[in-house]
Amino acid sequence: MWEAKLKPDLIGYSAGISACTSGEQWQRALALLGEMREVKLELDMMSYSAGISACEKGEQWQRALALLGEMCEAKLEPDVFCSTALGSARAGMASSGSGLWRC
């Protein structure tokens, strides 16, 4: 977006993060979330949900749960897709011997 001189917005970033989920590029998804913060965009439920899904696909359960923590701090309620990804993340953590995290 920057190279094309387009002003990044919430929808564009969220779409990019969702694309990272499909491409199993959780690192890039987290980088886009970071960029959103840098340009002072307020992350919404859709942004967090896409980031959590990307982390879940990459088996980055602790990162997914950290994003859930940020959602809770922002007073955002997880949607169905986010809840499904978090269920997988919690199951992955449980099977790896890690403790469960709650909002």
Side-chain angles (χ1 to χ4, degrees), residues 24-95:
E24 296 184 25
Q25 296 193 16
W26 63 268
Q27 300 99 327
R28 186 65 185 135
L30 292 179
L32 288 171
L33 287 170
E35 282 183 28
M36 290 176 73
R37 291 180 186 102
E38 286 177 25
V39 298
K40 307 289 189 239
L41 287 175
E42 188 172 328
L43 280 68
D44 65 356
M45 186 272 311
M46 188 169 76
S47 304
Y48 279 112
S49 182
I52 288 168
S53 293
C55 290
E56 182 264 332
K57 294 261 188 210
E59 296 183 2
Q60 299 298 311
W61 305 299
Q62 291 176 330
R63 286 182 170 93
L65 295 175
L67 288 174
L68 174 64
E70 289 180 28
M71 278 183 72
C72 291
E73 288 176 17
K75 309 262 188 276
L76 297 171
E77 290 291 322
D79 66 359
V80 170
F81 301 109
C82 185
S83 297
T84 301
L86 286 168
S88 296
R90 287 183 178 136
M93 286 185 74
S95 68

